Amino acid sequence: SNSSMARISEEDAENFLNKVTDLQAKVKGIIDGSISIEEIDKEIETKEMVDKYKEEQKKLKEEKRVKAGRKGKGHKGTYKRFCQYCFTEYDIEIDKCTHCDHETITQDERMAYLKGKLEELKEK
């Protein structure tokens, strides 16, 4: 056996065979007149609409995730904006926190604040 050949799962093979069988039935139906081209067009249109809807849902979910930010202390500098009230880091430019509605600050502002706190501790 050739190990470089891609292995297909039984489920994928089954799905592929079902699609082939379905396609064969449709072609046969078009030929014998039991299925109209309009029916096929409608089916394709429906599938495209479903695919488009799924894609939009995926985008919305990602957008929601990005807008939600992530919990963090803002000390690692891997963000664009930071909420110092509820400790949320954002990878996008956002003026107000989506959780507590406070103004967010930039990474530079957060770092300056932390450096200031560090200086205060050194002086004590």
Side-chain angles (χ1 to χ4, degrees):
S1 76
N2 190 349
S3 61
S4 68
M5 263 181 63
R7 295 242 180 263
I8 306 175
S9 74
E10 210 170 302
E11 188 183 349
D12 286 343
E14 190 74 30
N15 287 338
F16 177 75
L17 288 175
N18 287 339
K19 282 180 185 169
V20 170
T21 305
D22 186 49
L23 198 57
Q24 282 175 327
K26 283 179 182 146
V27 170
K28 187 178 180 296
I30 291 169
I31 292 167
D32 69 22
S34 64
I35 298 176
S36 70
I37 296 291
E38 289 78 17
E39 283 178 75
I40 300 290
D41 283 344
K42 198 166 185 66
E43 197 176 301
I44 291 168
E45 203 175 292
T46 302
K47 187 190 180 318
E48 285 171 357
M49 282 169 59
V50 167
D51 289 347
K52 189 176 177 188
Y53 174 78
K54 282 180 183 173
E55 193 58 40
E56 283 171 6
Q57 289 304 305
K58 212 161 101 180
K59 278 184 196 158
L60 283 172
K61 195 174 174 184
E62 177 61 14
E63 202 174 287
K64 199 173 175 183
R65 187 192 66 76
V66 169
K67 280 186 180 171
R70 65 178 171 271
K71 290 291 164 204
K73 298 291 180 197
H75 63 290
K76 288 195 175 118
T78 56
Y79 57 89
K80 287 186 179 166
R81 304 289 294 190
F82 179 73
C83 177
Q84 55 192 349
Y85 295 92
C86 69
F87 297 100
T88 303
E89 298 174 355
Y90 292 95
D91 292 327
I92 53 172
E93 289 299 329
I94 191 165
D95 296 329
K96 278 190 184 273
C97 178
T98 56
H99 301 281
C100 70
D101 215 35
H102 280 96
E103 296 275 322
T104 61
I105 58 174
T106 65
Q107 185 176 305
D108 291 342
E109 290 168 324
R110 177 64 176 165
M111 291 304 172
Y113 171 81
L114 292 173
K115 281 186 185 119
K117 280 286 183 205
L118 202 58
E119 293 306 315
E120 277 177 37
L121 287 172
K122 283 180 185 173
E123 287 167 16
K124 285 183 180 172

